[in-house]
Amino acid sequence: MELAYYSDYAVRLVNTEEPARNKDGLTSVEAVRELFGPSSQAARRATDADVTRFRSVRARLRAVFDAADSGDQTHAVDLLNSLLLEFPVSPQISGHDHLDDEGRPRWHMHLADHPSNATAGYAAIAAMGLAFHLTEFGVDRLGLCQAAPCRNAYLDTSTNRSRRYCSDRCATRANVAAYRARKRLETERSESTGRSAETAQATAERTDG
């Protein structure tokens, strides 16, 4: 498994909250376990105490995206480094369930689950995955959705670094809103021009009279 894959852990956790809408999907141990996926052994270690701990890690990961989105690359890296120091990973070489055409294991790097608690394990994997993505593609590839009030986190994998939205749905919604705003402006300008023309004509008529 490619280590950059683990960056999705960070995105999933950050997007359990929608601050602008006052929505929080991380309210139970079941919600914590869902973040790991159905096949993860680490999810079984999650307890009610992990809900609060996960929220704390979530806030710190969002701060990384906030800094990157605002263009403060150094601050984004500093914030991520603090997570890496606090939640170290346990890298292992793995080949399970991945065989080549000749039946030999396809060896790859794997980030082992942290043994202490569910939060530490998830945070270590999320931070390291995000670090690999950041160093491979650049800090500016970490973004927050520009379709207000969404602000979901996303990883820009476009070829021209042009992504601005977390999903096609938000992109469509933003484009529709921009179109309507342009139409309103055109209408207002047209009405203003019409009123100005009427005023000018009325003035001319009074002058002629």
Side-chain angles (χ1 to χ4, degrees), residues 133-170:
H133 189 93
L134 183 152
T135 54
E136 178 71 18
F137 301 106
V139 180
D140 58 344
R141 293 290 188 145
L142 278 59
L144 292 173
C145 187
Q146 299 302 302
C150 177
R151 303 299 283 171
N152 270 351
Y154 65 83
L155 300 173
D156 185 0
T157 56
S158 63
T159 57
N160 57 355
R161 299 173 183 265
S162 61
R163 185 171 178 180
R164 297 176 59 210
Y165 307 106
C166 68
S167 64
D168 290 340
R169 179 181 180 182
C170 276

Side-chain angles (χ1 to χ4, degrees), residues 2 4 39 42 49 54 84 110 113 117 127 138 150 175 207:
E2 296 292 338
S39 61
F54 261 70
L84 292 170
H110 172 76
D113 291 333
N117 60 67
C150 177
N175 289 334
T207 302

